Amino acid sequence: MRVIIIGAGVAGLALARGLLNAGHEAEVYEEAPEPRTAGGSVTLWPGSTAILEQLKVDCSGVGRRLETLESWATDGRRLLTLDLTVAERRYGHPVVHVARNELVELLADGVPVTYGARAEHVTPERAEARLSDGRTVRGDVLVGADGRRSVVRAALWGEDSATLSPFVTWQGFTTMPTALTGQRRAVMIAGGAGLCGLIPAGRGRLLWWFDVRSAPGKPFWADDPDIVERLRERFRDWAEPVPVILATLTDVDFFPHHRQPIRDVWGRGPTTLAGDSAHTMPPTMAQGANQALEDAWSLSGSIGDLRAYEKARSKVVRRPARLAGTELTDMQRPFAGLLPDGPMSKVYARLLRRYSNYLLTAP
C-alpha cells in the first residue's frame, strides 16, 4: 500500500519505518524546514524499547538506562522509590531516557522525508493532501501525525477539542556535573510551589523541568520576561541539586499542558491519526512519545483496517490520558512516604502493561 504521512515527529517517522519494514510504500511530509528536535528528552518504557527493537532502531549508544524512579520531599527526604528493573525483568526490555533529537535522528535514518512541505488542505475521503508547494499527494491511506495543531485532525474533526490544563512546564538540560548526572535514577520533587523533575539523559546531560500553575496572561506563561528569576525565587530553598541547576539557568523552553478527550473513532475513510494529533495529553505520566510509538506499531500492522486500529488504540491510550489529565504527579502528596516501595514497584510494572498495546499482546 502507498501511505502518505503528514508530520515527521516520533509517530510519523516510527510509522514510516514500520510500514517500510513490512513492504509498504511510505512518504512523509513535514512542514518544518528540518528535523523537529524540540522537546528536551523522553522516557521510553519497556513497551517502547521493545517496539524500537522491532523497528530496527538501535538505542544502545544513546540516552541512559534507568533503574529507579524516586519521589522526594522538598528537603531531600526520599518518600518513595520505584524499582524500574521490576518492569525490565518482567517484560524483557529496559526503561531508557533519551534526548528527543537523538530519538528523532535514529527514527529518521533511511526514511524518505520531504521537509518544508506543509499540508494546507486535506480531503480525508480520498487520502489526499495539498501541500504548500502546490503539489497534491494521494495514497491508499493518509495518516495525520502532525501534532497538537494537526491540519489532518482539523479536516476530520473540525474544531480543536483540547483544553489547557492549569499547569505548564519550563525545562532544559544542564551539563554542569551533579550527583545525579552519571546515575540511573530519575527524581521528582513535589511541593507547594510545584514540581521539579531531574533525569540523566546520557552524554553528561541532566534534563531538568519545573511544573508550575499558570495560564495565559499570568506569571510563568510563555511571554514572562522574568521567568528565570521567578523560577529561582520559587524553588531556591529546595534540596540539592535544585539550587545548583537554578544557578545555571539561561535559556528555558516553555510547554503548556493540554488535555484532549480520546475519541473512539479517529478517522474517516482511508484517513486516520497518530500521536498527539489523536491524543494530546499532559507530559506528567511521560507517555507522549510512548503512545506515539504504540500507534506506529499498531497501525503498521493493521494498515488495511484503520477503524480496528483506532478501536484498539483508543481503549488503551485513554488510560494514561485520563491519569495524566489529573496532573496527579504535579500535586503535593505527603502520603507518598507511607507507600511501600516493593509492592508499588510491582503495581507500576502492571500499570505500564495496561498502557501498552504491545505489552498486552506480548507472550
Side-chain angles (χ1 to χ4, degrees), residues 16 22 51 73 101-102 107 112 116 136 204 211 213 215 263 266 269 293 361:
I51 289 170
N101 68 316
E102 293 174 343
L107 288 171
T136 295
D211 284 1
R213 288 183 178 272
R263 299 190 178 202
W266 300 350
L293 289 169
T361 57

Side-chain angles (χ1 to χ4, degrees), residues 283-361:
T284 49
M285 298 302 296
Q287 282 291 330
N290 292 273
Q291 295 304 320
L293 289 169
E294 292 279 347
D295 288 349
W297 174 78
S298 296
L299 183 51
S300 61
S302 58
I303 196 66
D305 192 342
L306 303 184
R307 304 295 88 80
Y309 149 74
E310 295 163 2
K311 181 179 179 180
R313 286 294 297 132
S314 63
K315 179 180 179 181
V316 172
V317 75
R318 190 174 284 120
R319 296 165 184 163
R322 284 175 173 170
L323 190 55
T326 68
E327 300 281 6
L328 184 69
T329 58
D330 278 343
M331 301 178 187
Q332 188 176 15
R333 300 294 175 185
F335 56 82
L338 302 177
L339 303 174
D341 294 349
M344 282 302 298
S345 298
K346 294 178 181 177
V347 168
Y348 200 75
R350 288 196 292 269
L351 196 67
L352 293 177
R353 184 172 185 268
R354 284 177 50 80
Y355 292 174
S356 168
N357 289 77
Y358 179 90
L359 294 180
L360 283 169
T361 57

